[in-house]
Amino acid sequence: RKEVEQDPGPFNVPEGATVAFNCTYSNSASQSFFWYRQDCRKEPKLLMSVYSSGNEDGRFTAQLNRASQYISLLIRDSKLSDSATYLCVVPRQGSYIPTFGRGTSLIVHP
Amino acid sequence: DAGITQSPRHKVTETGTPVTLRCHQTENHRYMYWYRQDPGHGLRLIHYSYGVKDTDKGEVSDGYSVSRSKTEDFLLTLESATSSQTSVYFCAISEQPPDIRPDEQYFGPGTRLTVT
C-alpha cells in the first residue's frame, strides 16, 4: 500500500450536493491527519486537522477510521466556491515529516 | 495569511544553468521546507530545515542543495538545472517540530520554474 492514497477524481457534483472523499494511509502509528485545500495555481491551505475520531467545521466533517486506516472528508451543501483540489496529509512512516497525497479534484457546478 | 514570500515567482532557464530560489518568512518559525509539485505526484519534500544552518534531505533531494544562514531565509539551489526539474516549487514553514507533533504547515505562493 502506498503511504497515502487518494482517488484523483474529478468528482463532479451539483450545488447543494453532499460529497465525500476518502484517503487511505499505510502508517498505522499515525496519530494526526490533515486535509488541505488547494485552488488552481495557488498554494495549499490547511482546511482541517484530525487528531482523534473526527472533526467538524460548518459544512465540513473529517472522520478517522483507524481500523481500516482511512480518513474521510465530507462536504455538505456544496458551493461553487468549494471547487478545488483536496489534499490528504499524513505523517511519513518512521518520521513525522508529513506525506501529501496526490489530491482529489472537486468540481461543483450550477 | 502567514508572512511567506517566494522569489522569483516565475523563471525560465536553460538546462545546465544554476538556479536559486528564495523563501522569506516574517513569522520567526523554526522549521522551513521546500517541496515540488508535479502532476501525478502531488507534493514531494526536497529538503527541510530545523534551524539556522541545520538542514536535512527529503525524499527527492538529488540535484538540489539548500542553505539557511538566517531564520527568515531558506534558499533552494539547483546546481545545474535539468528539464526534469521543471516544476512548481513551494516553500512552507511550521512552528511545531514535525517529529514531536505534526503541525499545520503554511505555504508560500509558489515558484513556477521551467527548464528548457
Side-chain angles (χ1 to χ4, degrees):
Chain A
R1 170 184 276 186
K2 291 185 179 178
E3 289 187 77
V4 180
E5 285 196 86
Q6 294 184 255
D7 181 345
F11 285 65
N12 249 293
V13 302
E15 276 187 287
T18 294
V19 61
F21 320 129
N22 282 347
C23 167
T24 59
Y25 61 93
S26 61
N27 185 1
S28 59
S30 297
Q31 296 295 311
S32 59
F33 310 85
F34 307 92
W35 282 103
Y36 278 74
R37 171 194 169 124
Q38 185 173 24
D39 293 310
C40 187
R41 302 178 77 86
K42 297 285 190 180
E43 71 272 22
K45 292 186 177 181
L46 180 70
L47 178 66
M48 299 183 76
S49 304
V50 186
Y51 292 110
S52 56
S53 59
N55 192 6
E56 185 172 332
D57 183 4
R59 298 182 294 108
F60 297 83
T61 300
Q63 291 190 315
L64 169 62
N65 185 317
R66 289 193 186 277
S68 300
Q69 293 185 213
Y70 74 87
I71 60 173
S72 62
L73 179 67
L74 179 77
I75 305 175
R76 291 180 295 276
D77 188 22
S78 299
K79 311 291 185 190
L80 296 176
S81 57
D82 293 334
S83 297
T85 297
Y86 292 84
L87 307 174
C88 169
V89 184
V90 181
R92 182 183 303 275
Q93 186 113 18
S95 160
Y96 284 99
I97 302 292
T99 298
F100 284 76
R102 297 181 184 183
T104 296
S105 175
L106 171 65
I107 301 170
V108 182
H109 57 81
Chain B
D1 289 346
I4 312 170
T5 56
Q6 292 185 230
S7 58
R9 294 292 314 279
H10 301 269
K11 186 170 181 67
V12 180
T13 192
E14 292 184 350
T15 298
T17 61
V19 177
T20 295
L21 309 183
R22 179 182 185 236
C23 177
H24 178 79
Q25 61 146 328
T26 58
E27 305 295 323
N28 201 37
H29 284 356
R30 180 178 173 185
Y31 301 90
M32 299 185 75
Y33 313 79
W34 276 108
Y35 290 89
R36 61 177 289 175
Q37 187 174 36
D38 306 288
H41 288 279
L43 279 154
R44 293 181 291 175
L45 183 66
I46 304 172
H47 282 279
Y48 67 99
S49 170
Y50 46 95
V52 174
K53 293 185 169 47
D54 291 323
T55 65
D56 207 348
K57 295 179 180 180
E59 60 181 313
V60 289
S61 58
D62 288 348
Y64 301 95
S65 62
V66 289
S67 65
R68 191 167 178 201
S69 58
K70 298 185 289 185
T71 299
E72 57 266 34
D73 289 325
F74 192 30
L75 303 180
L76 177 71
T77 297
L78 291 65
E79 301 291 346
S80 178
T82 66
S83 57
S84 64
Q85 293 176 311
T86 293
S87 186
V88 180
Y89 292 84
F90 286 103
C91 172
I93 64 175
S94 70
E95 191 171 20
Q96 296 286 346
D99 60 342
I100 294 179
R101 170 179 156 165
D103 202 356
E104 58 265 25
Q105 298 183 349
Y106 298 98
F107 286 82
T111 294
R112 293 188 173 273
L113 176 67
T114 302
V115 183
T116 60

